[in-house]
Structure formats: structure tokens, C-alpha cells
Amino acid sequence: MRNVNLYNRIVIKIGSAVLANPNGKVNHTVLAAISEDIAWLLKKGKEVLVVSSGAIALGRKNINLPENLSLPESQAMAAHGQIELMSAWKKHLNKYSCVIGQILLTPRDTELKISSKNAKQTIEKLLEVGCLPIINENDTTATDEIKFGDNDLLAAKVAKLVKADLLLSLIHI
């Protein structure tokens, strides 16, 4: 990566396979390393936003469903897994006294005038008060990303909405 000093507002998109093990548990080693890097960026005065996947993958930990989920099953896993996801983020970022805020959006929320204005205002206020926005797809109401992506589209739309200088996408290869 180029010199980090070239960027002020950074959106980091993190895929499910990065955060969750195949058994539906948080990969704490990876999340700890990412949290440390985020804390380092914040200490350097950078504005960081996280677009975090993982709710559906983490939802599998406590609920036994078939490997190939139906849409309603995926939505149920997202509702349960979102709690697990935010708890994991909070646990790791607390080590750096980093306060977090959860935002659940749909790609459409970034396009509609009122919704995008509200989302942007919320993000701006969180950044202003030193609270790290952690954004995820609202999979219980929006289903396109469940079918077609892993928050990639949402991350791009959020980066555009907040006029980010850099969008990083962390994926597992």
C-alpha cells in the first residue's frame, strides 16, 4: 500500500471468510490483528469506517441448519449472527479503547435521497465524536447481497457516500 499519510478517510471492507471460521466461530486471531491495525490508523488521526460481513456465517454457530440455506434461513442467521459479529468487534476494539457504533444499511439506503442523507449524517456524527462506524448489510430486509455478494456493493456505495479517499477490501483467498 502507498504511504498511509496520503489518505484521510478509509473504508475497510472485511469479508465473511476473513472473520469467520467454517464452523461459524469468530477467527479471533485475524480479528485481533485487524483491530490492532484499525487502532493504529485511528491513532494516526485517520477516519476509519468498517464494512463488515460475517453475520450469516457467525449465525450458524448456535443454530443448526443445512449447508445450503434458503433465503428466510439466511435472513434468520443474519439476525442472530449480527449480535455475535458486533460482540466480537466490541471485544477486540475495547482493548484499544475504541468505541464502536453499528449501522445496518441496504445498498438502496445509499441511493434514496432521505435515507442516504440520514446514513451520511449518522456516519459523520459517529466519526466526529470518535466512534468507529461498523456497517453491515441489513440482511433481514435486503436480500440482494445475500444472493449476489458479500457486502462488496455496499462497501463501494458507502465509500462513495462518505467521499472516502481509500477503499480496502480484505478477502480470504
Side-chain angles (χ1 to χ4, degrees), residues 13-30:
K13 185 268 180 187
I14 304 159
S16 296
V18 174
L19 293 178
N21 294 318
N23 61 1
K25 294 185 179 175
V26 174
N27 186 332
H28 288 287
T29 303
V30 170

Side-chain angles (χ1 to χ4, degrees), residues 13 16 53 56 69-71 74 107 137 139 142-155 157:
K13 185 268 180 187
S16 296
S53 298
I56 294 172
L69 300 175
S70 68
L71 184 57
S74 292
E137 176 85 31
D139 289 325
T143 57
D144 285 347
E145 285 287 291
I146 291 176
K147 295 177 193 171
F148 303 113
D150 191 16
N151 278 342
D152 298 325
L153 176 62
L154 181 63
K157 288 181 177 274

Side-chain angles (χ1 to χ4, degrees), residues 16-60:
S16 296
V18 174
L19 293 178
N21 294 318
N23 61 1
K25 294 185 179 175
V26 174
N27 186 332
H28 288 287
T29 303
V30 170
L31 190 53
I34 293 169
S35 296
E36 182 178 6
D37 290 343
I38 289 170
W40 180 81
L41 288 167
L42 293 171
K43 190 174 178 181
K44 291 250 183 215
K46 304 303 172 186
E47 293 179 332
V48 179
L49 297 84
V50 172
V51 176
S52 177
S53 298
I56 294 172
L58 295 176
R60 292 181 172 274

Side-chain angles (χ1 to χ4, degrees), residues 52-53 55 82 85 103-105 134-138 151 154:
S52 177
S53 298
Q82 186 64 29
L85 180 63
I103 302 174
L104 295 174
L105 294 174
I134 299 182
I135 303 163
N136 195 3
E137 176 85 31
N138 190 351
N151 278 342
L154 181 63

Side-chain angles (χ1 to χ4, degrees), residues 36-128:
E36 182 178 6
D37 290 343
I38 289 170
W40 180 81
L41 288 167
L42 293 171
K43 190 174 178 181
K44 291 250 183 215
K46 304 303 172 186
E47 293 179 332
V48 179
L49 297 84
V50 172
V51 176
S52 177
S53 298
I56 294 172
L58 295 176
R60 292 181 172 274
K61 181 173 90 172
N62 296 321
I63 300 174
N64 188 16
L65 285 172
E67 181 67 27
N68 294 321
L69 300 175
S70 68
L71 184 57
E73 289 169 337
S74 292
Q75 291 171 291
M77 292 302 94
H80 172 67
Q82 186 64 29
I83 297 166
E84 301 289 326
L85 180 63
M86 292 306 294
S87 294
W89 276 112
K90 183 175 181 180
K91 173 186 173 182
H92 286 280
L93 288 164
N94 271 347
K95 294 174 188 173
Y96 305 99
S97 300
C98 183
V99 179
I100 63 171
Q102 172 184 272
I103 302 174
L104 295 174
L105 294 174
T106 67
R108 189 160 167 79
D109 288 332
T110 65
E111 296 166 358
L112 298 174
K113 187 175 183 178
I114 292 175
S115 297
S116 66
K117 179 182 174 196
N118 291 338
K120 187 174 181 179
Q121 284 179 176
T122 301
I123 291 167
E124 294 290 345
K125 186 51 74 173
L126 287 172
L127 293 172
E128 180 184 317

